Amino acid sequence: MASVVVVGAQWGDEGKGKITDFLAARADLVVRYQGGNNAGHTVVADGKEFKLHLIPSGILYPEKMCLVGNGVVLDPAVFLQEIDRLTEQGISTANLRISPRTQVIMPYHRKLDLCEEKRRGAGKIGTTGRGIGPAYVDKAARVGIRVCELIDPPAFAQRLQAVLKDKNELLEKYYGESGFDYQALYDEYVAYGRRLAPFVADVSVIIDEALQAGRHVLFEGAQGTLLDVDHGTYPYVTSSYPVAAGACHGSGVGPTRIDRVIGVAKAYVTRVGEGPFPTELCDATGEYLRQKGHEFGTTTGRPRRCGWFDAVIARYAVRINGLSSLAITKLDVLTGLDTLRLCVGYEYRGQIIRDLPATLTQLAECKPVYEELPGWQEDIGTVRRYEDLPANARRYLERIVELCGVPVCIIGVGPGREQTLVLQELF
């Protein structure tokens, strides 16, 4: 038996979809434990590209059970569109299940998201406008609507009547926006509930029974450690818990049931949205990484900010998540660069610091301290053994291991499933 959590070790977009899809071949269940459709995972299988936003990356294996946990906020329209798109592509969703405790994103959440971001002006966070933050706010305020209510029309009517009056008043009187018609909203979402009902099951029970039976469970997060609402670069964070501990809370399992935690990190760093980024490259090298790595958001299409690998945030991710090992993705993107840089610390007001500051004002003043390593020119897309990587590529990875304090278990040398080097078996 093994239960493995896959987390992002940077600001998200690290390639977790590829790693989860690869590990799903060895798992029996794949569980998405937090976030919403503000996240996107791109998976390439058999030469086809699949963009997933809410459905777990293991869905491409028809025999795997794919579960959406209670820590997710679910937009029913997006979820059903994703099911329809996969069905059209010949992908079965028969083994897909949703926790009845999962919170529902409503149209007023999306409108409030856009209104709040507009009001922030220059201080905007850079949200996707998908309603994620307002949905989590309602969850904490105990006025959210859950999937179990959505599939129960009388219960849904009661919850919607209780909250819609306040939401309309907020939109109309504070933001000057139009509100929503109760009956139209009720009819639309009851129809969604009817379609979702066959997928609803107690995810916590399913996972528990699987673990007791000795089956392998893979937990998949969205976003990354540096976007965690508590441990990320607050306030430029998401509204949930992408860190490994979130897997327990967001799926209904205890921490003693987790065996390993894999941190996914690109061989460089990217982020989308606002906030400090010490190793960001606003030059030709940054643009090289963006274009060669196809660094544009899966969900929004926004160009990602690119920079050198940052061992300060990687060590932070190791500590916060209790990482067992790292999966390094997109190593192939660095091919062709004569010199590579690794950030080993920050210079802050004349002193060298090696731990991530808590405040953004301090982080904004930090300048990266770099080590330089020689690059390589050889194409590594066809390499299938670690020993066959160019010497300089191995040296680069070995220095990352030294700086981060955990081994590398997987290396991605291209987007395809077959372009994956396994250094350590996880299941």
Side-chain angles (χ1 to χ4, degrees), residues 30 48-49 109 117 127 160 369 406:
V30 182
K48 296 180 181 178
E49 185 176 82
H109 291 135
E117 190 75 338
T127 76
L160 185 60
V369 177
V406 293

Side-chain angles (χ1 to χ4, degrees), residues 314-392:
R315 283 194 299 269
Y316 180 76
V318 169
R319 173 164 57 86
I320 294 299
N321 293 291
L323 295 185
S324 311
S325 55
L326 284 168
I328 301 294
T329 62
K330 293 196 168 185
L331 184 66
D332 54 300
V333 174
L334 298 181
T335 299
L337 294 172
D338 293 328
T339 303
L340 305 176
R341 286 183 159 192
L342 286 171
C343 173
V344 298
Y346 298 150
E347 181 186 343
Y348 176 70
R349 297 185 179 180
Q351 293 186 323
I352 303 300
I353 60 174
R354 300 189 183 277
D355 294 310
L356 187 71
T359 69
L360 291 194
T361 52
Q362 187 177 355
L363 185 59
E365 289 187 48
C366 289
K367 298 179 181 179
V369 177
Y370 286 120
E371 285 184 4
E372 291 192 350
L373 288 87
W376 61 90
Q377 304 299 318
E378 301 94 324
D379 178 17
I380 63 173
T382 58
V383 172
R384 298 296 177 265
R385 298 191 312 156
Y386 179 78
E387 297 78 10
D388 295 333
L389 286 170
N392 287 344

Side-chain angles (χ1 to χ4, degrees), residues 5-82:
V5 181
V6 174
V7 301
Q10 297 162 334
W11 275 286
D13 304 310
E14 301 96 346
K16 294 183 297 299
K18 171 186 168 67
I19 300 302
T20 304
D21 169 75
F22 182 80
L23 292 175
R26 297 153 173 79
D28 299 299
L29 285 77
V30 182
V31 187
R32 168 75 178 273
Y33 63 82
Q34 54 77 220
N37 58 303
N38 57 334
H41 290 166
T42 301
V43 177
V44 178
D46 300 324
K48 296 180 181 178
E49 185 176 82
F50 299 88
K51 293 183 182 294
L52 304 170
H53 301 278
L54 285 165
I55 294 176
S57 300
I59 198 68
L60 301 185
Y61 299 94
E63 72 280 11
K64 312 297 180 181
M65 182 69 75
C66 287
L67 309 176
V68 176
N70 58 275
V72 172
V73 286
L74 185 137
D75 187 320
V78 173
F79 191 77
L80 291 168
Q81 287 168 6
E82 206 163 318

Side-chain angles (χ1 to χ4, degrees), residues 277-345:
F277 183 176
T279 66
E280 183 173 11
L281 293 166
C282 302
D283 58 10
T285 302
E287 187 60 27
Y288 176 90
L289 294 174
R290 183 177 299 111
Q291 295 300 328
K292 188 171 182 183
H294 305 288
E295 297 297 353
F296 300 89
T298 302
T299 298
T300 64
R302 290 184 294 181
R304 295 173 183 145
R305 300 158 65 188
C306 300
W308 294 118
F309 187 92
D310 187 335
V312 176
I313 66 171
R315 283 194 299 269
Y316 180 76
V318 169
R319 173 164 57 86
I320 294 299
N321 293 291
L323 295 185
S324 311
S325 55
L326 284 168
I328 301 294
T329 62
K330 293 196 168 185
L331 184 66
D332 54 300
V333 174
L334 298 181
T335 299
L337 294 172
D338 293 328
T339 303
L340 305 176
R341 286 183 159 192
L342 286 171
C343 173
V344 298

Side-chain angles (χ1 to χ4, degrees), residues 112 197 330 408:
L112 284 169
K330 293 196 168 185
V408 170

Side-chain angles (χ1 to χ4, degrees), residues 76-95:
V78 173
F79 191 77
L80 291 168
Q81 287 168 6
E82 206 163 318
I83 287 175
D84 292 341
R85 192 180 311 115
L86 288 168
T87 301
E88 290 170 1
Q89 293 174 294
I91 305 298
S92 172
T93 57
N95 285 333

Side-chain angles (χ1 to χ4, degrees), residues 131-144:
I132 310 302
Y136 277 115
V137 167
D138 277 6
K139 177 180 181 177
R142 294 161 291 185
V143 296

